[in-house]
Amino acid sequence: MNTLLLKNTPDNIKKAAHILQDGGLVGMPTETVYGLAADALNGEAVSKIFAAKCRPMDNPLIVHIADFSDIEKYDLAEEIPKSAKMLSDMFWPGPLTIIMKKSNVIPNEVSAGLDTVAVRLPSHPAARALIKAANTPLAAPSANLSGSPSPTTAEHVMNDLSGKINAVIDGGACDVGVESTVITLVTDVPRILRPGGVTFEQLKDVLGKVDVDNAVFHKISEDKKVSSPGMKYKHYAPKANVILLKCTDNEYIDYINKNADKDVAALCCDEDIPFLNAATFSLGKRGDYISQAHRLFNELRRIDNVGTVKTVYSRMPSVDGVGMAVYNRLVRAAGFEVIDLEKL
Ligand code: AMP
Ligand code: MG
């Protein structure tokens, strides 16, 4: 299949909407990462997403809408919790996905056999225009090959999926850079299943009490049944081996300089660069988690593009604010391999 790389113009949005209505797949820009969209109400179209990405069938998809009223319009949920409206008023459109009890119109391919549906209202104008033009909600996971770093540019999508999908709309680089925060409202206390651009602290301000699922911080075995199926797979990983170092600023610099070699790289902060004797890939300033989230996946892909890097040492981020999302993605990219220099 020839994959069309389309500029973000009104005519191309219409063209892409027709592809979706015909059961095809379109890479769409969102403010978090690029999504691989199909008509969420067409199970056969949705199953093509799993084939193109080589995604495990038990990992459900997020349904993207263009307006809060679409939940009712398309009858997506059995009931809309009051807290969903509160969250929507505060954070939609934006990088928050809300899980509620699903209705019967949600195909099994979308919910992967669960009795819930994950819904998000993205803020990227091209995504919203596409959902409106297609006149249907769009199921869309990240538009990468399963397991590899999520795509934050149209070029990343083409690198992973060219020839396997119908089109990609080029909407420029994504703003947030990591996937949406996922919160479920079907538990007694609302629970974060995946951290993202909307933080634990912000959600607590609106809802009062919020839990964070165990799978956010810890390794879950692949044969376990979990509330957040996406969190149990090795994820976001470049081909090079990523190792996290739990340490101070100086220990990080010393450790890398001691282990520096031509196939070693440092995934570091701007302030570290002058002191390091290895190839450096910076995520931005120390403590600037918004920049770190924005740059993370692009830097992981750049490391692989160099071709010679075998080992990447990254500092373990703290879990405040958007740092929780950076930590969650990095620890998975590392396959949970952490060296604790404080304990050595
Ligand atoms: P992706 O958009 O590629 O990051 O994948 C969607 C994420 O949302 C995965 O981590 C899924 O496990 C999660 N997700 C989607 N729907 C549900 C649901 N109904 N219940 C729990 N997690 C979900
Ligand atoms: Mg993904």
Side-chain angles (χ1 to χ4, degrees), residues 53 55 58-62 64 97 99-100 110-111 114 116-118 140-144 150 179-180 182 193-194 227-231 235-236:
K53 281 179 56 88
R55 182 177 174 98
D58 69 346
N59 195 1
L61 307 180
I62 295 168
H64 293 72
T97 294
I99 293 179
M100 44 196 113
V110 170
S111 54
L114 302 176
T116 51
V117 61
S142 52
N144 53 321
S150 295
E179 303 82 347
S180 58
V182 177
L193 302 183
R194 176 175 76 184
S227 45
S228 169
M231 286 285 111
H235 239 107
Y236 317 117

Side-chain angles (χ1 to χ4, degrees), residues 29 42 97 105 265 334:
N42 176 347
T97 294
V105 307

Side-chain angles (χ1 to χ4, degrees), residues 19-335:
I19 292 172
L20 291 165
Q21 287 168 338
D22 288 343
L25 302 184
V26 174
M28 73 169 174
T30 83
E31 71 279 19
T32 57
V33 302
Y34 273 71
L36 180 58
D39 177 352
L41 305 182
N42 176 347
E44 203 184 310
V46 171
S47 68
K48 294 180 194 165
I49 293 177
F50 288 85
K53 281 179 56 88
C54 304
R55 182 177 174 98
M57 293 299 292
D58 69 346
N59 195 1
L61 307 180
I62 295 168
V63 175
H64 293 72
I65 56 175
D67 197 276
F68 183 80
S69 62
D70 284 353
I71 304 176
E72 222 171 355
K73 176 175 164 190
Y74 296 113
D75 188 24
L76 303 179
E78 192 184 279
E79 87 178 300
I80 305 173
K82 270 203 196 94
S83 47
K85 179 77 174 83
M86 284 156 67
L87 291 174
S88 152
D89 287 345
M90 248 351 243
F91 302 115
W92 279 1
L96 178 70
T97 294
I98 303 175
I99 293 179
M100 44 196 113
K101 279 257 183 287
K102 81 175 186 81
S103 76
N104 291 335
V105 307
I106 303 293
N108 242 327
E109 288 84 352
V110 170
S111 54
L114 302 176
D115 59 358
T116 51
V117 61
V119 185
R120 183 165 99 83
L121 173 48
S123 68
H124 197 297
R128 293 181 74 183
L130 186 60
I131 300 163
K132 277 191 189 143
N135 201 24
T136 183
L138 299 179
S142 52
N144 53 321
L145 285 173
S146 239
S148 71
S150 295
T152 55
T153 66
E155 193 191 344
H156 296 162
V157 181
M158 288 300 273
N159 288 344
D160 274 19
L161 298 176
S162 179
K164 297 170 125 194
I165 64 177
N166 300 91
V168 182
I169 297 169
D170 187 352
C174 299
D175 203 19
V176 180
V178 292
E179 303 82 347
S180 58
T181 304
V182 177
I183 189 164
T184 179
L185 301 179
V186 304
T187 42
D188 286 344
V189 175
R191 173 182 298 219
I192 295 175
L193 302 183
R194 176 175 76 184
V198 172
T199 66
F200 168 72
E201 294 84 350
Q202 287 175 306
L203 290 165
K204 236 172 68 171
D205 278 349
V206 174
L207 297 173
K209 214 168 166 212
V210 176
D211 288 338
V212 180
D213 200 83
N214 223 3
V216 167
F217 298 117
H218 302 288
K219 189 173 183 168
I220 304 291
S221 90
E222 286 195 14
D223 53 12
K224 267 227 167 113
K225 201 169 181 317
V226 288
S227 45
S228 169
M231 286 285 111
K232 68 186 177 185
Y233 298 104
K234 179 163 177 175
H235 239 107
Y236 317 117
K239 292 183 188 79
N241 190 29
V242 180
I243 299 169
L244 298 192
L245 301 178
K246 196 169 172 212
C247 57
T248 64
D249 296 344
N250 287 338
E251 283 169 340
Y252 178 71
I253 290 163
D254 287 349
Y255 188 90
I256 289 181
N257 288 342
K258 266 189 209 133
N259 290 279
D261 206 341
K262 55 181 184 317
D263 58 4
V264 168
L267 188 59
C268 60
C269 296
D270 290 349
E271 293 87 340
D272 304 321
I273 294 174
F275 303 102
L276 290 171
N277 295 329
T280 55
F281 295 83
S282 177
L283 296 177
K285 292 222 166 5
R286 281 183 193 147
D288 181 352
Y289 300 124
I290 291 182
S291 157
Q292 294 182 14
H294 178 71
R295 285 160 77 160
L296 178 64
F297 290 135
N298 195 47
E299 292 311 296
L300 291 177
R301 280 179 182 258
R302 273 192 346 112
I303 289 169
D304 273 346
N305 289 343
V306 172
T308 50
V309 179
K310 291 211 177 100
T311 308
V312 185
Y313 292 110
S314 169
R315 189 102 55 82
M316 197 149 122
S318 103
V319 297
D320 307 336
V322 178
M324 194 190 285
V326 177
Y327 171 85
N328 170 268
R329 304 312 188 274
L330 261 177
V331 80
R332 277 171 177 74

